[in-house]
Amino acid sequence: MKNIAVIGSGTMGNGIAHVFAQYGYKVAIIDVAEEALKKGLSTIEKNLKRQVEKGTITEDLKLQALTNITPFTQLKSGVHQAELVIEAATENIDLKLKIFSELDACAAAGAILATNTSSISITKIASVTNRPDKIIGMHFMNPVPIMKLVEVIRGYNTSDDTTNLVMDLSRNLEKIPVEVNDYPGFVANRILMPMINEAIYSLYEGVAGVEEIDTVMKLGMAHPMGPLQLADFIGLDVCLSILRVLHDGFGNPKYAPCPLLVNMVQAGHKGVKSGSGFYHYVAGSKELKVASQFL
Ligand SMILES: NC(=O)c1ccc[n+]([C@@H]2O[C@H](COP(=O)([O-])OP(=O)(O)OC[C@H]3O[C@@H](n4cnc5c(N)ncnc54)[C@H](O)[C@@H]3O)[C@@H](O)[C@H]2O)c1
């Protein structure tokens, strides 16, 4: 496999394109928004430059990786040569179903169509295509060039051939793929989101404060970051939407999102991206300050 297409040049799309280009694949990166495409390409260049400065890649490899990437704004022209397409567009089910039905029509008949979705059913996405055996989840972690895991998710009809190809391909990128089945939240978010929700419940019920909860998990469980800080990084709106997928998908009240989380998202306190969540964020400052509501 040589030709890859990545749909979406946001946080995840540019990271995925970066890694494939670094490992010698020809990458078409496609975004509907011209601005997002420019920003994605400049992020890739900046991150490759940082790798050169750290001595993890050479200047020549950086230049080669950059020439391996071609930007597109049209899906059809971007995917026509691809043997594997990885969709990393905005997390919205209607959008993903539309993209996959278009992809099925315009990608090569033998191409594997993967999605980087955090929470949408692979089986549901496969159901709008005529190649359910070639639809698979390839869930990279953020930041893609650094994080080793790829959660490889088999839909109900994903074939062994497709799964084995994607597992091998992930290893070619020096990632560690883990095969899981398609149930709500897969494995990563099924375990992570209830932990974050429980941390928010502990705050809501007054068991302890923001810093105390995060400190317990950092020092007691050796987590590099506390669950409330991690929730701010992921985005509280994203956490809420994944919890809703778990709650709806399993019909089990244990996944019900904490009312404090719901309120915070409704009030626009979405974490790092909005400047405030459990902590307060000032652009350019690395200091971690608890948000005034929780002092
Ligand atoms: N951010 C994370 O930490 C993370 C981690 C794992 C998985 N994911 C998943 O990765 C996917 C992308 O997330 P993100 O954080 O990179 O989002 P993002 O908002 O940073 O980027 C999404 C990009 O998709 C583009 N887009 C929207 N519609 C499109 C279309 N029809 N065709 C092409 N491009 C289109 C947007 O212009 C935007 O640039 C989501 O499914 C998300 O759940 C995100």
Side-chain angles (χ1 to χ4, degrees):
M1 214 179 253
K2 266 197 350 239
N3 292 301
I4 310 292
V6 177
I7 301 177
S9 68
T11 311
M12 297 306 286
N14 77 60
I16 297 167
H18 169 150
V19 171
F20 275 101
Q22 181 185 332
Y23 283 83
Y25 294 86
K26 296 281 174 210
V27 183
I29 183 163
I30 306 150
D31 203 297
V32 278
E34 191 106 35
E35 266 314 298
L37 208 47
K38 273 197 205 139
K39 194 168 163 222
L41 291 170
S42 89
T43 304
I44 295 173
E45 189 164 1
K46 197 176 72 201
N47 290 339
L48 284 165
K49 188 164 167 258
R50 192 177 305 140
Q51 286 173 291
V52 174
E53 283 158 9
K54 280 191 182 163
T56 51
I57 62 168
T58 61
E59 176 70 20
D60 278 358
L61 203 149
K62 178 191 111 178
L63 295 175
Q64 184 56 52
L66 288 171
T67 60
N68 282 343
I69 303 175
T70 314
F72 292 87
T73 50
Q74 297 296 323
L75 186 77
K76 203 170 174 181
S77 28
V79 302
H80 88 280
Q81 274 194 317
E83 293 144 280
L84 167 72
V85 181
I86 303 171
E87 172 278 318
T90 316
E91 186 81 343
N92 172 306
I93 183 146
D94 295 333
L95 173 70
K96 300 225 188 238
L97 296 182
K98 183 167 165 282
I99 290 176
F100 273 81
S101 119
E102 279 174 35
L103 265 180
D104 193 35
C106 64
I112 293 177
L113 309 181
T115 172
N116 186 53
T117 181
S118 310
S119 62
I120 295 167
S121 159
I122 309 303
T123 308
K124 171 110 185 152
I125 289 175
S127 73
V128 300
T129 74
N130 291 310
R131 57 178 100 187
D133 56 317
K134 292 191 168 58
I135 310 294
I136 193 159
M138 235 183 144
H139 187 200
F140 288 87
M141 305 289 134
N142 184 21
V144 184
I146 291 169
M147 299 291 278
K148 285 282 173 208
L149 177 69
V150 184
E151 199 179 20
V152 174
I153 305 127
R154 288 185 76 126
Y156 199 83
N157 287 311
T158 309
S159 69
D160 288 343
D161 281 355
T162 299
T163 309
N164 293 336
L165 257 162
V166 165
M167 296 286 286
D168 286 343
L169 191 67
S170 306
R171 291 186 194 102
N172 290 347
L173 305 173
E174 291 192 75
K175 299 289 183 203
I176 298 174
V178 173
E179 187 182 322
V180 314
N181 288 317
D182 181 28
Y183 287 97
F186 318 132
V187 170
N189 282 318
R190 181 171 178 170
I191 295 172
L192 176 63
M193 289 302 156
M195 184 191 72
I196 285 176
N197 202 34
E198 210 52 40
I200 303 173
Y201 261 114
S202 305
L203 178 68
Y204 173 67
E205 291 169 1
V207 179
V210 171
E211 266 181 326
E212 289 74 11
I213 291 168
D214 276 355
T215 302
V216 167
M217 298 305 285
K218 278 190 285 187
L219 302 187
M221 321 300 155
H223 289 192
M225 196 185 275
L228 298 174
Q229 188 188 358
L230 180 57
D232 275 356
F233 267 97
I234 294 170
L236 300 188
D237 52 337
V238 175
C239 294
L240 178 59
S241 110
I242 300 176
L243 278 162
R244 289 203 158 123
V245 167
L246 291 170
H247 193 209
D248 291 349
F250 291 114
N252 186 331
K254 77 176 176 181
Y255 298 109
C258 176
L260 172 60
L261 174 64
V262 177
N263 263 356
M264 289 176 75
V265 173
Q266 269 164 359
H269 292 236
K270 297 180 185 170
V272 177
K273 64 180 149 192
S274 71
S276 182
F278 297 105
Y279 295 89
H280 182 68
Y281 300 92
V282 180
S285 162
K286 290 218 157 128
E287 196 193 348
L288 201 55
K289 280 174 62 182
V290 173
S292 55
Q293 289 85 349
F294 301 114
L295 289 173

